[in-house]
């Protein structure tokens, strides 16, 4: 599985910038056409507003919300019945483009994991004495105790 994500990342990085931008433009156009009526500036059903995402960087900062959008569009839950529906080809193209964008970002994050906060602690007097002995080759009570 990680190998496929790395291959996908390599594929996206190999695309010219204009192709990646064109892909996002298609996602943005899809959202404007089929999602903005219920998830725009004026109405935010489900607390979701897709208007403040003008580019890829904004989408990637809110990856969790866009994963939900992807799942809803992929599953056919959105747009809901009674709303203007995309063709099967449109839906598939946008699902593939959005999945590729999000998966590539996830793969990039996996390649450089967050090590967390480093913890600094004091040495005990015994540890300090042994460290001085190991570093300097001198065996004496450097800590002044023990």
């Amino acid at each position: 599985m990680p190998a496929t994500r790395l291959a996908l990342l390599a594929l996206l990085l190999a695309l010219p910038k204009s192709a990646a931008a064109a892909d996002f433009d298609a996602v943005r156009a899809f959202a404007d056409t089929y999602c903005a009526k219920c998830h725009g500036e004026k109405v935010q059903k489900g607390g979701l507003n897709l208007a403040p995402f003008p580019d890829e960087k904004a989408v990637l900062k809110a990856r969790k919300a866009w994963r939900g959008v992807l799942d809803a569009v992929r599953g056919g839950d959105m747009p809901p019945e009674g709303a203007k529906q995309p063709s099967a080809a449109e839906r598939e193209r946008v699902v593939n483009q959005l999945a590729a964008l999000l998966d590539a970002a996830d793969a990039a994050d996996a390649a450089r994991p967050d090590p967390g906060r480093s913890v600094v602690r004091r040495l005990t007097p015994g540890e300090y004495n042994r460290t001085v002995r190991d570093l300097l080759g001198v065996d004496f009570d450097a800590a002044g105790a023990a």
Side-chain angles (χ1 to χ4, degrees):
M1 184 89 155
T4 57
R5 286 188 179 181
L6 290 176
L8 182 61
L9 176 64
L11 176 66
L12 285 176
L13 291 175
L15 288 175
K17 292 290 183 190
S18 59
D23 288 348
F24 183 75
D25 288 343
V27 172
R28 182 80 253 161
F30 182 92
D32 289 343
T33 303
Y34 299 106
C35 309
K37 183 178 178 184
C38 298
H39 303 287
E41 286 293 330
K42 295 180 181 176
V43 178
Q44 290 123 25
K45 290 187 178 178
L48 180 62
N49 180 3
L50 298 179
F53 300 104
D55 58 12
E56 283 182 56
K57 287 183 181 182
V59 168
L60 294 178
K61 287 181 182 177
R63 243 182 281 170
K64 185 176 179 181
W66 280 89
R67 279 276 175 209
V69 170
L70 175 62
D71 292 342
V73 172
R74 180 184 284 146
D77 300 329
M78 290 292 153
E81 289 182 27
K84 183 178 177 182
Q85 295 292 318
S87 68
E90 277 182 298
R91 184 182 303 270
E92 183 179 349
R93 185 180 70 232
V94 167
V95 163
N96 291 338
Q97 291 169 347
L98 191 53
L101 174 69
L102 297 173
D103 288 345
D106 289 345
D109 284 351
R112 49 181 164 73
D114 181 9
R117 186 175 153 196
S118 62
V119 178
V120 179
R121 66 174 191 83
R122 291 181 152 185
L123 296 175
T124 65
E127 290 172 328
Y128 185 73
N129 287 337
R130 287 188 293 278
T131 301
V132 169
R133 183 192 67 219
D134 292 346
L135 290 174
L136 302 177
V138 179
D139 193 12
F140 75 103
D141 185 13

